[in-house]
Amino acid sequence: MRTEEEMFSLIVHIAENDDRIRAVGMNGSRTNSNVQKDVFQDYDIVYLVTDLKSFLQTPDWIDDFGKRIIMQTPEDSQLFPQELGGRFSYLMQFTDGNRIDLQLVPLSEKDRYCKEDKLTVILMDKDSCLPSIPPPSDRDYWVKKPTIEFFDDCCNEYWWISTYVAKGLWRKEILYAQEHLSHIRSMHIQMLEWKVGIDTNFSVSVGKSGKYLEKFISEKSWEQLLATYADGSIDGIWNALFAMCDHFDSTAAYVGKHLNCDYPYQYDRRVYSYLKHIQDLPANATEIY
């Protein structure tokens, strides 16, 4: 596996030898001092270029980065909508284990690029044309304090969609139930993130998909969260659903109290009773009540 020094040398060397590339930036976990380094960290690189179309017309230019296992170019995808506007990205997994997520950005967007992400560092600026930027900070990714409306909507969404899980389980539609269980888990994790925010005065990031949550919650709370991940059985999904309801309920009550929001206990009591009723409803039932 090429070392970090070798990868940076290669990234800069390619830029140095291509007149179209006028500056090189980097962001992501490698610029975040709060993230522990490991072998799976990507190199999130940006080349600020003068003629983006010419790169697309000669796609083999990226072969200089090394042999790839697989590559994705999201802006070419028909399956997913484009998100970068006039930019273009190459997501490259190499045979030696390294990965580069490379984005080409028109040089005309240099000022906008330098303001987009507080984790940005500049690796090269051939023309000294980029604005000065402060040292990297993950402040943009800190948990944000919710408004009362956000809190209420999260609670409502959780308890509303939980009824879809129950409906799917009664019908034995496991995929439908699992999909909606995953959806309410996103509300559950959102509530846990807000709890972490409260406990840290909203000064930390829990990472994408809450991947750092374990660092900030108790061992008991972490175990309760893991218990919400179901196996492929009907009983397993029911157990996961009720485990999630219990944990969401206690977490949301905590968050509501500390944010001076009224937790809607009517959802908890009425919906939880409804879920239990559906669990016990005979398979041949002709009416719910």
Side-chain angles (χ1 to χ4, degrees):
M1 187 175 191
R2 287 169 291 180
T3 66
E4 183 178 66
E5 291 74 17
E6 289 173 319
M7 292 299 293
F8 280 128
S9 177
L10 174 64
I11 289 163
V12 170
H13 175 77
I14 290 174
E16 284 177 337
N17 288 278
D18 193 322
D19 287 339
R20 298 170 298 177
I21 303 171
R22 306 313 302 169
V24 183
M26 182 173 71
N27 51 27
S29 65
R30 286 186 177 273
T31 68
N32 188 350
S33 61
N34 293 320
V35 174
Q36 184 175 349
K37 288 186 176 183
D38 65 37
V39 296
F40 284 100
Q41 281 184 305
D42 305 339
Y43 294 84
D44 295 301
I45 302 297
V46 166
Y47 281 171
L48 289 150
V49 303
T50 57
D51 186 4
L52 192 149
K53 287 185 178 180
S54 67
F55 288 94
L56 308 186
Q57 292 166 352
T58 56
D60 59 349
W61 74 274
I62 58 170
D63 293 344
D64 289 344
F65 287 103
K67 294 182 178 180
R68 300 182 298 273
I69 295 174
I70 189 170
M71 180 177 72
Q72 189 174 83
T73 51
E75 286 65 55
D76 282 335
S77 174
Q78 298 299 309
L79 184 60
F80 302 104
Q82 297 184 18
E83 297 180 346
L84 293 182
R87 304 179 180 185
F88 197 86
S89 53
Y90 304 85
L91 313 181
M92 298 176 282
Q93 180 68 58
F94 299 102
T95 57
D96 69 348
N98 280 300
R99 171 173 162 168
I100 295 177
D101 288 354
L102 173 66
Q103 188 178 139
L104 301 182
V105 176
L107 186 62
S108 59
E109 297 185 21
K110 64 182 188 302
D111 293 332
R112 179 177 144 199
Y113 163 71
C114 288
K115 296 176 182 178
E116 285 175 348
D117 189 343
K118 288 186 173 65
L119 282 174
T120 298
V121 297
I122 303 303
L123 303 181
M124 174 189 290
D125 182 0
K126 292 180 180 179
D127 309 308
S128 299
C129 66
L130 302 184
S132 61
I133 59 176
S137 165
D138 64 359
R139 179 180 289 271
D140 285 345
Y141 300 93
W142 290 358
V143 177
K144 304 295 190 298
K145 185 177 181 179
T147 63
I148 293 176
E149 292 77 14
F150 268 49
F151 174 80
D152 288 343
D153 287 350
C154 183
C155 293
N156 181 272
E157 182 73 358
Y158 177 88
W159 289 108
W160 172 253
I161 299 298
S162 69
T163 66
Y164 289 55
V165 183
K167 176 171 63 176
L169 291 172
W170 184 83
R171 291 172 170 170
K172 301 190 185 310
E173 297 170 344
I174 291 179
L175 298 185
Y176 179 93
Q178 289 276 39
E179 179 178 347
H180 289 88
L181 185 72
S182 295
H183 180 77
I184 63 171
R185 187 181 295 105
S186 67
M187 298 297 101
H188 180 206
I189 289 176
Q190 176 65 82
M191 196 63 70
L192 283 168
E193 291 179 359
W194 287 336
K195 182 180 185 300
V196 169
I198 291 167
D199 293 342
T200 60
N201 197 29
F202 294 94
S203 63
V204 300
S205 166
V206 296
K208 186 176 182 179
S209 303
K211 61 184 178 181
Y212 303 135
L213 263 177
E214 186 179 7
K215 295 169 52 179
F216 299 106
I217 62 178
S218 68
E219 182 178 351
K220 178 182 177 181
S221 187
W222 179 249
E223 291 174 352
Q224 289 175 308
L225 174 58
L226 295 183
T228 70
Y229 288 83
D231 61 20
S233 69
I234 296 291
D235 287 343
I237 302 172
W238 276 118
N239 291 337
L241 172 62
F242 288 120
M244 195 186 303
C245 288
D246 291 339
H247 198 208
F248 180 88
D249 180 54
S250 61
T251 306
Y254 178 94
V255 171
K257 177 181 177 180
H258 285 79
L259 295 180
N260 294 317
C261 302
D262 291 328
Y263 175 55
Y265 285 102
Q266 70 272 21
Y267 295 153
D268 169 16
R269 296 171 184 140
R270 293 201 298 254
V271 178
Y272 195 93
S273 295
Y274 174 81
L275 300 177
K276 283 290 189 183
H277 179 74
I278 299 303
Q279 184 184 31
D280 296 333
L281 192 67
N284 60 350
T286 58
E287 57 184 18
I288 296 176
Y289 288 103

